[in-house]
Amino acid sequence: MTGSTTPIYRPKPAFDLLRVPGLGRLLRWRWGRLVFQLPLAVVAAVMIYDGLTGPKLAPQNLATVAAWVHYRGLVVLALLLAGNLFCMSCPFTLPRTLARRLSGHGRRWPMALRNKWLAIALFVGLLFLYEALDLWASPWLTAWLIVAYFAAAFVFEALFAESPFCKYLCPIGTFNFVGSTISPLQITSRDTQVCRTCVGKECVNGSAQVLGCGTELFVPQMRSNMDCVLCLDCVRACPHDNVALAARKPLAELTIAAWPRRWDVALLALVFAFTALGNAFGMVPPVYALESALARWLGTTNETLILALIFGVIYVALPVLAGVGAAWLSQRLAGAGSLRVVLARYAPAVVPLGFAVWFAHYWFHFASGALTIIPVLQSFLIDHGVTLLGAKPNWRLGAILPADALFLLEMGSVLIGFIASLAVLRRIADNTHEDGRMATRAMAPWLALLALIAVLAVALFTLPMEMRGMMAG
Amino acid sequence: MTSKKQLRRSFILLILALGLALTLSACQRASQQIDTGASSGIAMTLAVNPDPATVGQAQVTVTINDASGQPVSGAAVAIKGDMSHAGMMPVLADATEDGAGVYRTDLEWTMAGDWIVTVTATLADGQTVEQQFDLSVAQ
Ligand code: SF4
Ligand code: SF4
Ligand SMILES: [Cu+2]
């Protein structure tokens, strides 16, 4: 606290993770982020090493097991229970943390690219590569993917003044940004009055010793987790110790028009929901039937082409058509703004359901295979002469949930996501239209879209999953 | 704060790191260097019943012949089925000899999809031969 401001009334946020004894101090500490980044950097290094030199079978390699089973399962759990904890501990941004600024006078990210279009393209592109190259079946490619992440984050961090990689490019970040809009924690100012009289605005500008927000968010104006990597640089930069990582009302962000009303941001939310369906669709029997039907119909055996067609439709064409279509209908039925405005207003409503579908799919893999990492680690250590975890790998370890419990979890997750999306939709419509009948008409097309996504998701999770792909032979 | 020189230095570091990764990808750990029996002329075949394979109980038969086509008896034959996806428990079984050079065991295909069956035979003379077979299991 400074002498210049003596607040009479200083409301404290309900719960502030940064004030939790012990943990709060650690998080606020100048090198606090390293405590989380360094262990993950070691894990990434081991994954790269095993991916490049170890077993070629995905279930036996640390790279594939840790990336496609553990990383994905834990990242959605963290988003659900706390926030964007992966970005907080992201090893790819280590150079920034260590150097505190690689190129202080780097150029600025081009104006024309200051939007989510590239991020959407790279996110969809990575998910497409995942199918086309069967990334999940290849330790070698998975290792190179991690290397590519390190290299790309490093290059863009070095060349540009801010952190364009996280905000405008990184597919992991893009997923986490959308996912974190349902998270219970958010960066906010403890007392807006202090910010109003603050001269330096160090949280965003930085100072001689500390960096400001790398993704250029301004704490007192933040109403969304979008673009926040939880680096906590703002916390360390604020000279008034006025930044909190506080609990917020569940789903509130999605109902208060917190996002910029832009095409790119709105369509990102829809892409997030449809990629969730598509990524799960990629591993059920109908996709193979569809592939061979398309192959016959087009008279081609080019698998990349066929996959590009299938996933181009699911990841790009469908979200655009469904989103713009629902917005157009909603506008026809109840007015209230241009097509862009109506789309941007209701797009957040698909996020809870989209997240639920991602969660259900990732937890299918995590809950059915979390313990397989133990024998994989055992055999990795044995290969290097370390018998700390036993002299023989125990290949009988696998699931952490029985199959029926897992099925319940998948169905429950979709159901809760659907209900949450409905609640958000209702709230948005009620906030827009005073007349209840108008509100109902405005939300009707979106209700249909949500129901469609939910039904497709239930159908997907009822089908038996098949693990197919490139034969390692 | 940071000069051009430092920037150049970081890029050299990056190139070095990428070079290290490239070098790594060219090596293989000792346990991954397997003897497929090609040099000694040992040949293995794998048969499954039912064929084509479906989810559920199955019988697997491995036959081992030496370079002159004679059956190889007295080997210890271990079978391991892996799926192509990470996070899937392998299926393990030891086959027992059922006629000269013919080894059989029952096991269960736990899920539909692509399987890679690894057969490891430890011959009577101590030589270990390992071969992989691709298998597609239907629902
Ligand atoms: S958070 Fe801190 S640095 Fe940022 S405006 Fe408020 S008081 Fe100033
Ligand atoms: S607001 Fe910016 S500086 Fe603060 S934690 Fe989020 S990304 Fe980091
Ligand atoms: Cu899957």
Side-chain angles (χ1 to χ4, degrees), chain A residues 344-356:
Chain A
R345 177 182 301 133
Y346 290 102
V350 303
V351 174
L353 181 55
F355 182 82

Side-chain angles (χ1 to χ4, degrees), chain A residues 426-447:
Chain A
R426 178 87 249 178
R427 184 71 64 80
I428 297 174
D430 285 344
N431 287 347
T432 315
H433 300 273
E434 289 202 352
D435 176 2
R437 274 192 35 240
M438 269 321 225
T440 306
R441 288 174 64 161
M443 60 184 263
W446 295 98
L447 185 70

Side-chain angles (χ1 to χ4, degrees), chain A residues 187 203 212-215 217 219 222 227-234:
Chain A
I187 289 286
C203 57
C213 178
T215 53
L217 300 173
V219 170
M222 277 174 72
D227 296 347
C228 176
V229 295
L230 281 190
C231 62
L232 305 185
D233 281 343
C234 55

Side-chain angles (χ1 to χ4, degrees), chain B residues 78-97:
Chain B
I79 291 172
K80 183 156 178 259
D82 280 292
M83 301 216 65
S84 54
H85 203 294
M88 298 307 299
M89 242 196 296
V91 170
L92 303 167
D94 288 321
T96 46
E97 192 159 5

Side-chain angles (χ1 to χ4, degrees), chain A residues 50 52-53 55-60 101-102 105 136-137 147 154 369 383-384 396-397 466-469 471, chain B residues 1-2 7 10 18 21 24-25 28-29 31-32 80 82-89 111-114 134 139:
Chain A
D50 201 29
L52 294 181
T53 69
K56 297 209 166 35
L57 294 179
Q60 290 177 18
R101 182 70 94 202
L102 269 171
H105 331 284
W136 39 270
V147 173
F154 183 87
D383 271 4
H384 293 84
R396 310 254 169 223
L397 292 171
E466 289 191 14
M467 313 284 187
R468 274 181 204 254
M471 292 298 233
Chain B
M1 268 196 257
T2 325
L7 193 64
S10 353
L18 285 176
L24 262 183
S25 73
Q28 271 201 339
R29 289 215 303 267
S31 72
Q32 299 309 312
K80 183 156 178 259
D82 280 292
M83 301 216 65
S84 54
H85 203 294
M88 298 307 299
M89 242 196 296
M111 185 181 270
D114 293 337
D134 295 338
Q139 194 55 51

Side-chain angles (χ1 to χ4, degrees), chain B residues 8 12 22 24 35-36 40 48 51 54 63-64 69 79 88 90-91 98 100 106 113 120 125 139:
Chain B
R8 198 173 316 133
I12 292 173
L22 259 176
L24 262 183
D35 175 5
T36 59
S40 49
V48 292
D51 184 15
T54 51
T63 49
I64 309 180
I79 291 172
M88 298 307 299
V91 170
D98 180 13
D106 290 334
T120 310
D125 64 1
Q139 194 55 51

Side-chain angles (χ1 to χ4, degrees), chain B residues 31-48:
Chain B
S31 72
Q32 299 309 312
Q33 293 159 357
I34 48 172
D35 175 5
T36 59
S39 54
S40 49
I42 299 284
M44 280 195 229
T45 61
L46 179 90
V48 292

